[in-house]
């Protein structure tokens, strides 16, 4: 469910109580549609996140500052100019609409106090954040629209209220009279949603359920004795909101959330605050969506390249088949030479006896009717030399095409298994260097620092490290691990490099758990049996010029594990 006006009412009250009179000490813009304000009050710093993401616009506090770009965007620089330092006077909602005003006290150029306002409009893909002065002149907006005069210097215009009323101002007589005048076929939940500010479908349906009516109730199915029940249910919900709300996560309702209780909200989890509820679920949903968008931007070019690699591999296989016919072409040329007197111009084929075989079979030789007898003979020997010389080159190109196909399949598998943005960004950086990522698809920001493979602890207390992409695999195998560490990999299938970070004798239980991780993070994770090879790291080498993640190993042993029905060791 989107962040509706009812839930936003309780959220703004919580944030105002928490952040009022806080001093703005830092401002960042970690993403295109997101800013963060660091506010200092009562010897504690709170981080307020404001996002106008088209899918999950929101406002709430966070515990950690998201990663920032190296160069702050212009909107961030403008906010720093005007609001560092400043004091947050209040956070207030405009009526019951999804519009939030953050009022700041700043000092102007003469040192006199003045007011600046951040206006957050939560309206789906039309969400925006405006920075205005006391006269509502736009200083800038996070999303500029020249055709709507949403530019610096323009006048801020409040969104059209669509004729909706403030729900706290309607009296019982007006409420009942409006129901009486509705068409008999009108759904009451839709009337509530379209007539009053702040009500989503969930909130409108909740009013009917609190009055013990069906959510699909129509005006014609009620009588005048029912209307006061609906009005008092309406008041009861508003009263709950005015008293601070009751934030719930509803597991059985599509993992939905509300700032108020639901009559049929079975298996719901109560949260300590709406702020904590929004921070957890909308942030998680946005992260999942962003990860999926990034993964798709990597999958598309790689799948195109994989199709090309498969076509090249097939082409080289066909060429190799023709090259392997070199001896047959030589034999045909020799037979044509020995039977030259039988050849005539215009023949498309000829049958000759093969004197090189014991049974003396008759073989049919295709000819070009447009060529002379001598030219046909010369053509056979020419084709023979061409096939003979091309065999070595074709084998080399076939091996190259197979390596490329294997590499692309492995990277695609790593994308499917990635559960963090950081892993996907490392993959993006890798395939960009390999030339597989078009310039328009280049993601940002780039991952900073050294790769960080996943770390697990075996039942014997020994650390096990797992690379989640080729960058991590190479770093883990050739820089992080030691020569006498045990190295594991699923046999002959794409998968992660796994290292047991312990020298000396390794317990069999730890080897089994490390093998389980190697099988789980491989292409055969759903198979009942997966063979995993293991050897000392010093027996693993990377061929010169090999693709990232590709290695050769020797002196290995093999263990068979079942990744589908076994629990993984705990993550460190």
């Amino acid at each position: 469910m989107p962040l509706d006006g009812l839930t936003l009412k309780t959220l703004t009250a919580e944030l105002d109580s928490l952040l009022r009179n806080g001093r703005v000490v830092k401002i960042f813009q970690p993403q295109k549609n997101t800013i963060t304000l660091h506010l200092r009050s009562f010897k504690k710093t709170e981080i307020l996140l404001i996002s106008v993401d088209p899918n999950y616009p929101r406002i709430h506090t966070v515990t950690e500052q998201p990663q920032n770009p190296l160069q702050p965007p212009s909107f961030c620089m403008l906010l720093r100019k005007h609001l560092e330092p400043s004091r947050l006077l209040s956070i207030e909602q405009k009526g019951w609409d999804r519009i939030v005003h953050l009022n700041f006290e700043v000092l102007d150029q003469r040192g006199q106090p003045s007011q600046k306002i951040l206006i957050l409009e939560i309206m789906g893909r039309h969400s925006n954040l405006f920075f205005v002065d006391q006269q509502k002149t736009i200083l800038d907006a996070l999303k500029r629209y020249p055709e709507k005069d949403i530019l610096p210097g323009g006048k801020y215009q409040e969104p059209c209220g669509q004729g909706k009323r403030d729900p706290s101002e309607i009296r019982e007589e007006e409420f009942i009279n409006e129901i009486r005048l509705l068409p008999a076929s009108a759904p009451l939940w839709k009337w509530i949603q379209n007539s009053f500010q702040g009500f989503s479908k969930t909130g409108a349906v909740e009013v009917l359920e609190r009055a013990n009516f069906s959510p699909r109730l129509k005006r014609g199915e009620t009588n005048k004795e029912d209307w006061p029940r609906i009005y008092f249910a309406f008041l009861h919900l508003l009263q709950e909101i005015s008293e601070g709300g009751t934030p719930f996560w509803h597991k059985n309702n599509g993992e939905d959330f509300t700032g108020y209780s639901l009559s049929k909200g079975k298996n719901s989890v109560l949260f300590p605050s709406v702020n904590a509820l929004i921070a957890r679920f909308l942030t998680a949903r946005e992260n999942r969506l962003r990860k999926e968008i990034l993964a798709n931007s990597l999958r598309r070019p790689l799948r195109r390249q994989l199709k090309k690699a498969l076509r090249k591999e097939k082409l080289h296989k066909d060429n190799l088949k023709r090259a392997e016919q070199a001896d047959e072409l030589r034999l045909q040329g020799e037979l044509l030479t020995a039977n030259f007197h039988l050849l005539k111009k215009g023949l498309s084929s000829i049958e000759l006896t093969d004197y090189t075989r014991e049974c003396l079979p008759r073989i049919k030789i295709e000819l070009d009717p447009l060529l002379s007898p001598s030219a046909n003979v010369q053509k056979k020997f020419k084709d023979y030399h061409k096939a003979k010389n091309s065999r070595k080159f074709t084998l080399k190109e076939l091996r190259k095409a197979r390596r490329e196909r294997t590499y692309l399949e492995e990277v695609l598998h790593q994308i499917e298994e990635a559960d963090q943005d950081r892993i996907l960004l490392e993959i993006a950086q890798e395939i960009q260097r390999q030339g597989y990522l078009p310039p328009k698809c280049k993601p940002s920001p780039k991952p900073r620092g050294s790769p960080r493979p996943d770390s697990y602890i075996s039942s014997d207390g020994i650390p096990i490290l797992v690379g989640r992409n080729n960058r991590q695999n190479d770093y883990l195998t050739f820089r992080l691990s030691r020569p006498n560490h045990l190295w594991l990999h699923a046999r002959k299938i794409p998968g992660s490099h796994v290292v047991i970070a312990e020298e000396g004798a390794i317990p069999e239980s730890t080897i089994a758990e490390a093998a389980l991780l190697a099988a789980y993070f491989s292409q055969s994770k759903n198979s009942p049996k997966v063979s995993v090879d293991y050897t000392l790291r010093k027996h693993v080498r990377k061929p010169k010029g090999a693709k990232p993640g590709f290695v050769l190993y020797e002196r290995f042993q093999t263990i068979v594990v079942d990744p589908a029905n076994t629990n993984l060791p705990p993550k460190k």
Side-chain angles (χ1 to χ4, degrees), residues 224-239:
K224 62 181 181 180
E225 287 77 19
D226 298 326
W227 302 337
R229 288 168 53 194
I230 299 174
Y231 175 71
F232 287 118
F234 182 82
L235 284 185
H236 184 264
L237 179 56
L238 295 183
Q239 180 68 22

Side-chain angles (χ1 to χ4, degrees), residues 477-511:
T477 300
F478 298 108
R479 298 188 63 180
L480 200 57
S481 62
R482 297 178 181 177
N484 289 321
H485 284 167
L486 207 59
W487 182 92
L488 303 91
H489 195 283
R491 190 172 197 180
K492 295 182 179 180
I493 51 175
S496 295
H497 294 198
V498 178
V499 169
I500 301 175
E502 181 81 11
E503 296 184 290
I506 306 296
E508 291 186 5
S509 56
T510 295
I511 295 177

Side-chain angles (χ1 to χ4, degrees), residues 202-232:
T202 302
V205 166
E206 175 58 20
V207 170
L208 298 179
E209 291 183 337
R210 290 190 182 200
N212 295 319
F213 288 116
S214 166
R216 295 184 292 274
L217 182 70
K218 296 181 180 179
R219 158 65 182 83
E221 298 170 352
T222 65
N223 53 52
K224 62 181 181 180
E225 287 77 19
D226 298 326
W227 302 337
R229 288 168 53 194
I230 299 174
Y231 175 71
F232 287 118

